[in-house]
Amino acid sequence: MEPPQACHLCGERRDLSDPTSLAWGNDRDDEGRVRWLCPGCTRGHLRDIEARLPDRWW
Ligand SMILES: [Zn+2]
């Protein structure tokens, strides 16, 4: 059995029978484990990354 896939930020379960599951993203942590991100957290995550751009970008 595969472990259940859940968002590593908010804990939401990924339901493979739900079309929105295709919008989930994933990456790997330092130990090579897959971490899932639900669509909502993916968007929030991108905003975080953009917010960390150095001031000289603006
Ligand atoms: Zn989430």
Side-chain angles (χ1 to χ4, degrees):
M1 276 273 290
E2 275 193 51
Q5 296 170 343
C7 174
H8 80 98
L9 288 183
C10 72
E12 183 174 314
R13 293 289 187 90
R14 184 173 185 240
D15 181 356
L16 293 176
S17 64
D18 185 330
T20 64
S21 69
L22 297 174
W24 282 56
N26 67 69
D27 60 10
R28 288 181 184 272
D29 66 15
D30 295 342
E31 291 164 45
R33 287 182 298 223
V34 174
R35 294 188 304 189
W36 288 96
L37 268 181
C38 70
C41 289
T42 302
R43 280 195 294 274
H45 202 55
L46 289 177
R47 271 202 298 274
D48 281 353
I49 293 168
E50 286 166 2
R52 275 189 228 113
L53 285 174
D55 289 345
R56 58 189 166 84
W57 279 65
W58 303 105

